[in-house]
Amino acid sequence: MTGEEENCGAVNGEVWILRLYVAGQTPKSLTAFANLKKLCEEHLAGRYTIEVIDLLEQPQLARGDQIFAVPTLVRKLPPPLRKIIGDLSNTEKVLVGLDIRPGC
């Protein structure tokens, strides 16, 4: 990783905290996690945490982030909070939604 890459998408190495809300291990949920993991490894390597919350096991956690559909990705940090609904297969839209600059 070059010095330029270290500053892309995250300022001064700040840690990204992402929550992926799913409902069981459906194909859509598994696809969303795989797409998110790939995207994070490509753009935020070593600077992110992903918390997967299965709403079938912990439905009360949906209220806190006001989750109405699954899978939903919530960017907790860095602020502002952002949500993306779907399987995250459209990489370009996910990058824009998370405010990660493509090419970083």
Side-chain angles (χ1 to χ4, degrees):
M1 182 179 296
T2 67
E4 289 180 15
E5 291 174 335
E6 291 173 359
N7 291 325
C8 289
V11 178
N12 297 326
E14 65 187 346
V15 175
W16 288 56
I17 298 177
L18 305 168
R19 275 191 186 162
L20 181 63
Y21 288 90
V22 298
Q25 293 193 4
T26 65
K28 200 168 188 175
S29 298
L30 296 173
T31 299
F33 180 74
N35 288 335
L36 178 60
K37 182 80 175 170
K38 180 181 175 198
L39 187 144
C40 287
E41 282 300 315
E42 290 176 1
H43 298 279
L44 301 170
R47 301 178 309 211
Y48 69 92
T49 60
I50 299 172
E51 182 180 7
V52 178
I53 297 177
D54 188 339
L55 294 179
L56 294 180
E57 297 174 4
Q58 300 173 311
Q60 72 279 7
L61 295 179
R63 286 191 204 147
D65 282 325
Q66 298 180 337
I67 303 302
F68 299 106
V70 288
T72 296
L73 173 64
V74 177
R75 184 181 88 178
K76 302 292 281 184
L77 288 175
L81 185 137
R82 296 202 176 191
K83 295 179 186 175
I84 301 171
I85 298 171
D87 66 3
L88 311 176
S89 60
N90 187 328
T91 303
E92 190 172 316
K93 285 187 177 181
V94 175
L95 291 173
V96 170
L98 290 176
D99 197 22
I100 296 173
R101 286 172 278 154
C104 292

